[in-house]
Amino acid sequence: MAEDAKSPAKKGSTRREFLRNSGLTVGGVVLGGALGSLLGGKEQVATHDVAPAPQLTVNPAEALQFFTPDQYRLTQAAAERIYPKDDNGPGAMELNAAIYIDHQLASPWGINSKEYMAAPFFEAEETQGSQIRILRKDLFLLGLKALDAYSQKQYDNPFIDLEPEQQDQVLTDFSDGKVPDISGVKSPLFFSLLRTLTIEGVYADPLYGGNKNMEGWAMRKYPGSRMAYVKEIQQDKFVELPPQGLNSHMGH
Amino acid sequence: MATKLPKVPVVVVGMGWAGGIVSAELTKAGIPVVGLERGKDRKTSDYLMAHDELRYQHREELMQDLSKETITHRNNEKMRALPMRDYGTFIVGDGVGGAGSHWNGQTYRFLPYDFEIKSMTDEKYGPGKLGADYPIQDWGLTYDEMEPYYDTFEKMAGISGETVESYGKRSNPYPTGPMLKTPIMKMFEEATKNLGYTPYVLPSANLSEAYENPDGISRGACQYCAFCENFGCEYGAKADPAVTVIPVAKDTGQLDLRTHSNVTEILNDGTKATGVLYIDMITGEEFEQPAEVVVVTSYVFNNVRLLLNSGLGKPYDSKSNTGVIGKNYAYQVSSASSMMFFEDQEFNLYGGAGALGIEIPEYAGDNFDHSDLKFIHGAGIRVTQYGNRPIANNVVPKGTPAWGAEFKSQSIKYSNSFFPVKSQGASMPYRYNYLDLDPTYKDAYGKPLLRMTYDYTEHDRELVKYISQKTHEIAEEIGADIIDTNDTQNDFNVNKDTNTHNTGGVIMGTDPETSAVNTYLQMWDADNVFVVGASAFPHNSSFNPTGTLGALSYRAAEGIQRYLDEGGSLV
């Protein structure tokens, strides 16, 4: 099993061959930009005098299955406050947490397919878990609406146009339950859904659409889903390994 | 109308450790077994894509589908029980291997004290140490009688470990040596030795080295990949019924394993079972499977529920304190802990294994004096290294916000620089903690759900207060920069607590008035029904339950063979 991160290009062929075989060239010229950074590696590729390469959409999963573009932008803005960009590295927005959230809400999980959803629904004691009839996908959209409504009420602007400090205050009020109930649901429940999904979106395997380029993992020096750590766990010194996604287990 | 199938000698309900062991032992002896399992079949190569924290841990890939069946919970009889609608505290396994597929693999024996807890407590502290509402009772057999079954289970699973002098006597050393010691385990080892304790590497089913068991099953060594609990093992290093006992049973040609088969009722006339009713969960077809012997080996909850829904055994009633089915439900008490943060040290915590850890025996069972304490039994105090997966491990010092800029920077700063001295405490039965049928909520097939009435007792809260102090002293000796000690046991929360070590409800003993099964786990009220699992524990010890569950399964398998030969009650 490979102990070091290997870019797909290095696996059994040269980077150039990979590019040629994968069809990611235009007229025999290797494209830079997003693709270049995707592949990484130190190998130099001959470049010719050409105009700056156009940006390619390299990740077809960076598109919406569930949200409208407006809902997506609002989710991006809210998730960014949960997990903001800082000196450590990118925040939820750059890590595509909102893409992750979109995909999750479109999945069977979004319609609570593995939860017990039979009636009757009663008000629960704190020790009994949530007892709500509203599906996750619907609760999330209702919560987004409430975010905007509350922002409008407090600051005369939609959430997305607020200053970061104002956005934090709005989210704090949601988290503390200071906001009117959302179709009968207490606001901390929506907040907790947003928080959980954001954390998942920055740290789940990139196959789910977030944790872009595994940068969520890289920030905390998490090596991803490698196959063995027999050597590392015995060492006193910290061993930093570049992250690997589940994709590296394909074909085994 | 159910399709009636030809009668078979033995039908087994649930193919986890209990069902797998019983099936292997009976089929090896030439007895045909029909194994009914409501989940899917599994094999090692299914797990090559299992290093997926989201799918397996947070979306509960290996767990039962709660949309079909869950439990309801209330903290006490004054409350209305409500369904556990999504997974919080318990994770209930599903499929071939059951909880034995997703477990961590910590494989202890219970103490000699556990099996004779009532007599030994009365003898040392006088009767009434706990009060009348704590119905602790002896198990009906001693540690020495259990020892050979433990030995058999450990050899089958290849348990890795080291002998602990202050625990029960062993007839053999562990079949494989202890797991590796990591730097954080060594820190705990050194600190606890300084304090006069005798730390030991905890016994593990993760296999410290390659091993071939007496059934001829070979498995490779653990790679410390950090995907154990909630996950299946792609190496087969973690002992799992699906890679040990079930292949052995299959090889005999005597096991008829039917997956996606959900048993809804044990057919019986009140004194004997005639077979079971089950539904094919894919097609919805209903079948009746007549059998000489019915072996109930599903999880604790469903063992109890099946009996109650089938009218087998006398249901427990807390008011009159009579009846047995649902009685002595117990859990574990794990709140006492000290979280430690280190400013200038990073550990390779991304690696680990489900049963990788180190523990002290000094506060387990009656290894310390309880004369001045308001509880009995105790806890294992330990440091473990399961492998910190990033969604689940964003631990920050007390007072840090749960989101936002400070949360992000602190959770990243400490992501490889924290670990707790934690504990797992024993749980004594209480008169008003029990399982029965819910009056309101039903499963997908119209059968009542199981209702749990449970909260931590005063005894549990005292234990947490005492043990948390010990974890704090060890954390100080280790020398962490920040120590956050939790010394309070909050009310039981079905959505927050994290422990799947549920026990009791169909308990074993020597008296039909106070137990449901005898020491072969044969029902007093129906001698061709054996109810096998942690449901048989009259109380829960501080140790993980699987070792004892496995040992009891071997004893039950022996009992079933005897019953098929001789008939009647085995005691």
Side-chain angles (χ1 to χ4, degrees):
Chain A
M1 196 48 57
E3 287 298 312
D4 299 305
K6 285 183 179 168
S7 73
K10 286 179 179 170
K11 233 180 199 171
S13 68
T14 66
R15 180 169 181 264
R16 214 173 218 309
E17 278 166 41
F18 167 74
L19 293 174
R20 190 165 54 238
N21 296 341
S22 58
L24 296 173
T25 57
V26 176
V29 176
V30 175
L31 296 172
L35 179 60
S37 65
L38 174 77
L39 291 172
K42 288 176 191 147
E43 194 183 336
Q44 290 296 311
V45 177
T47 51
H48 305 283
D49 291 335
V50 288
Q55 294 287 312
L56 270 193
T57 301
V58 291
N59 179 4
E62 266 180 31
L64 303 178
Q65 303 176 7
F66 174 74
F67 286 139
T68 64
D70 285 346
Q71 291 163 349
Y72 172 64
R73 279 189 289 272
L74 178 50
T75 303
Q76 278 187 308
E80 179 68 14
R81 295 320 303 156
I82 305 284
Y83 192 93
K85 181 178 179 142
D86 65 4
D87 294 346
N88 290 297
M93 195 178 292
E94 278 178 61
L95 291 169
N96 271 348
I99 291 284
Y100 166 85
I101 295 173
D102 171 83
H103 295 1
Q104 285 297 305
L105 294 175
S107 78
W109 185 81
I111 54 166
N112 302 43
S113 70
K114 280 177 79 178
E115 275 78 63
Y116 186 79
M117 295 301 284
F121 289 83
F122 290 106
E123 187 98 351
E125 300 285 340
E126 227 175 274
T127 56
Q128 293 180 298
S130 76
Q131 300 285 329
I132 55 171
R133 192 190 297 262
I134 302 173
L135 301 178
R136 291 189 180 105
K137 70 176 177 68
D138 297 324
L139 177 62
F140 198 88
L141 296 186
L142 289 167
L144 289 182
K145 251 185 163 168
L147 265 187
D148 262 345
Y150 189 73
S151 303
Q152 202 65 257
K153 196 180 121 213
Q154 301 294 102
Y155 302 106
D156 287 326
N157 268 307
F159 183 85
I160 202 165
D161 292 338
L162 303 184
E163 296 300 319
E165 297 73 30
Q166 295 174 321
Q167 291 180 332
D168 284 353
Q169 191 53 54
V170 168
L171 289 171
T172 302
D173 289 352
F174 270 76
S175 152
D176 294 349
K178 289 184 182 154
V179 177
D181 287 0
I182 304 163
S183 298
V185 177
K186 304 262 177 257
S187 66
L189 260 177
F190 162 69
F191 179 82
S192 142
L193 183 63
L194 171 69
R195 181 197 179 273
T196 301
L197 281 168
T198 303
I199 298 301
E200 288 174 359
V202 300
Y203 291 138
D205 191 281
L207 94 92
Y208 295 100
N211 187 13
K212 191 175 180 179
N213 297 334
M214 299 183 276
E215 284 178 62
W217 288 347
M219 272 187 279
R220 55 192 290 153
K221 303 175 199 163
Y222 180 68
S225 54
R226 286 159 177 271
M227 300 301 285
Y229 297 118
V230 181
K231 280 187 293 184
E232 290 81 2
I233 59 153
Q234 297 180 73
Q235 293 183 31
D236 286 320
K237 262 186 69 181
F238 187 75
V239 183
E240 193 170 345
L241 301 165
Q244 273 183 6
L246 255 192
N247 183 260
S248 65
H249 299 209
M250 284 294 277
H252 289 285
Chain B
M1 252 328 264
T3 304
K4 194 165 179 174
L5 302 167
K7 191 172 181 178
V8 296
V10 178
V11 65
V12 171
V13 181
M15 292 301 278
W17 272 127
I21 288 169
V22 167
S23 298
E25 292 305 292
L26 297 183
T27 55
K28 281 195 284 184
I31 302 160
V33 169
V34 168
L36 300 175
E37 166 54 51
R38 62 172 140 195
K40 59 187 171 195
D41 204 0
R42 294 207 184 96
K43 59 187 187 306
T44 305
S45 60
D46 294 356
Y47 297 126
L48 284 170
M49 279 284 150
H51 285 196
D52 184 341
E53 183 186 5
L54 184 74
R55 176 178 170 193
Y56 283 85
Q57 183 169 355
H58 303 284
R59 299 292 179 263
E60 296 98 11
E61 170 78 17
L62 300 182
M63 310 310 160
Q64 278 177 34
D65 179 352
L66 295 182
S67 74
K68 300 215 162 44
E69 176 184 333
T70 185
I71 59 152
T72 68
H73 167 259
R74 54 182 183 173
N75 291 71
N76 56 61
E77 291 178 334
K78 290 189 203 101
M79 276 167 69
R80 185 206 305 268
L82 296 176
M84 178 174 88
R85 294 194 180 271
D86 52 7
Y87 278 112
T89 174
F90 322 114
I91 40 174
V92 186
D94 184 54
V96 169
S101 287
H102 76 74
W103 72 319
N104 261 338
Q106 299 169 18
T107 316
Y108 301 81
R109 299 175 174 199
F110 283 8
L111 302 169
Y113 174 66
D114 281 306
F115 296 99
E116 297 171 87
I117 192 166
K118 171 78 174 146
S119 346
M120 288 172 81
T121 303
D122 286 356
E123 193 186 322
K124 186 160 169 191
Y125 304 107
K129 167 79 180 162
L130 275 186
D133 284 342
Y134 292 91
I136 53 167
Q137 55 194 66
D138 292 352
W139 290 37
L141 83 184
T142 63
Y143 172 83
D144 288 342
E145 290 170 286
M146 280 289 284
E147 207 284 333
Y149 304 108
Y150 275 125
D151 191 57
T152 305
F153 179 75
E154 288 168 358
K155 284 177 179 153
M156 180 276 295
I159 303 306
S160 308
E162 52 189 357
T163 299
V164 181
E165 294 305 330
S166 59
Y167 289 170
K169 233 179 133 101
R170 304 179 55 88
S171 56
N172 288 296
Y174 282 101
T176 53
M179 301 283 279
L180 292 172
K181 258 181 224 165
T182 69
I184 67 165
M185 289 163 71
K186 288 178 186 161
M187 288 162 77
F188 179 87
E189 182 179 39
E190 194 191 324
T192 51
K193 277 185 177 166
N194 290 346
L195 294 169
Y197 302 129
T198 53
Y200 65 96
V201 174
L202 61 83
S204 163
N206 303 154
L207 271 194
S208 61
E209 57 196 80
Y211 177 70
E212 183 179 337
N213 79 7
D215 291 319
I217 297 278
S218 290
R219 290 152 48 220
C222 176
Q223 301 299 305
Y224 301 87
C225 79
F227 287 84
C228 262
E229 187 171 42
N230 296 285
F231 306 85
C233 180
E234 73 274 21
Y235 293 103
K238 177 167 81 176
D240 171 340
V243 300
T244 52
V245 285
I246 290 169
V248 168
K250 280 179 176 170
D251 271 0
T252 63
Q254 300 284 357
L255 174 66
D256 178 356
L257 174 60
R258 300 178 198 156
T259 51
H260 305 289
S261 300
N262 187 33
V263 175
T264 53
E265 194 180 334
I266 302 161
L267 302 165
N268 70 91
D269 63 7
T271 56
K272 255 197 164 61
T274 54
V276 299
L277 213 53
Y278 72 93
I279 294 175
D280 181 319
M281 295 182 69
I282 306 280
T283 64
E285 282 174 282
E286 204 179 5
F287 296 95
E288 180 184 336
Q289 178 60 69
E292 297 276 344
V293 174
V294 175
V295 190
V296 186
T297 53
S298 67
Y299 191 66
V300 168
F301 296 147
N302 202 47
N303 280 3
V304 176
R305 194 171 82 105
L306 255 184
L307 295 180
L308 291 173
N309 274 331
S310 307
L312 259 178
K314 195 175 172 203
Y316 173 66
D317 173 44
S318 68
K319 279 175 199 71
S320 59
N321 212 356
T322 57
V324 287
I325 308 299
K327 175 184 147 88
N328 282 35
Y329 166 74
Y331 189 49
Q332 268 173 344
V333 188
S334 315
S335 291
S337 72
S338 291
M339 183 60 78
M340 303 182 291
F341 298 89
F342 298 83
E343 296 298 332
D344 305 314
Q345 269 171 291
E346 280 185 305
F347 310 102
N348 296 308
L349 296 174
Y350 51 75
L356 182 62
I358 185 162
E359 174 163 328
I360 54 168
E362 276 76 12
Y363 295 101
D366 203 34
N367 286 353
F368 59 113
D369 184 43
H370 292 72
S371 300
D372 297 328
L373 301 172
K374 291 183 194 142
F375 64 93
I376 60 165
H377 217 304
I381 298 175
R382 45 174 30 194
V383 155
T384 57
Q385 187 169 346
Y386 301 158
N388 285 355
R389 294 175 290 273
I391 298 171
N393 288 281
N394 291 285
V395 180
V396 288
K398 261 184 200 161
T400 311
W403 59 278
E406 194 185 343
F407 167 75
K408 184 190 171 189
S409 65
Q410 290 290 86
S411 61
I412 288 178
K413 175 182 172 187
Y414 291 113
S415 55
N416 301 296
S417 305
F418 77 88
F419 63 96
V421 175
K422 56 187 182 177
S423 67
Q424 182 168 274
S427 170
M428 295 306 112
Y430 182 60
R431 177 171 173 176
Y432 300 102
N433 285 339
Y434 59 90
L435 307 170
D436 67 353
L437 290 178
D438 191 273
T440 307
Y441 293 97
K442 309 261 193 288
D443 70 8
Y445 311 103
K447 299 274 186 187
L449 295 183
L450 190 72
R451 175 171 69 177
M452 172 189 291
T453 304
Y454 178 78
D455 208 341
Y456 296 108
T457 62
E458 281 314 307
H459 165 281
D460 297 332
R461 295 173 206 267
E462 290 290 328
L463 183 147
V464 166
K465 224 185 284 172
Y466 182 82
I467 296 294
S468 62
Q469 243 354 84
K470 307 297 170 194
T471 67
H472 187 85
E473 287 160 23
I474 295 168
E476 283 199 322
E477 182 66 27
I478 287 174
D481 294 300
I482 303 172
I483 302 171
D484 287 340
T485 296
N486 181 49
D487 61 0
T488 309
Q489 180 57 64
N490 294 323
D491 293 343
F492 175 75
N493 187 318
V494 79
N495 224 229
K496 281 195 183 144
D497 300 39
T498 49
N499 185 310
T500 304
H501 302 160
N502 303 278
T503 62
V506 195
I507 66 173
M508 61 194 279
T510 50
D511 180 357
E513 290 298 312
T514 55
S515 60
V517 293
N518 63 30
T519 61
Y520 289 94
L521 310 194
Q522 177 186 35
M523 275 192 88
W524 294 114
D525 290 354
D527 61 19
N528 69 338
V529 178
F530 291 75
V531 187
V532 189
S535 52
F537 299 3
H539 71 270
N540 202 1
S541 187
S542 56
F543 304 105
N544 301 51
T546 299
T548 300
L549 179 165
L552 285 174
S553 302
Y554 277 102
R555 183 172 165 89
E558 193 182 294
I560 295 163
Q561 290 182 64
R562 257 183 61 197
Y563 176 81
L564 285 167
D565 288 343
E566 303 162 17
S569 174
L570 296 169
V571 296

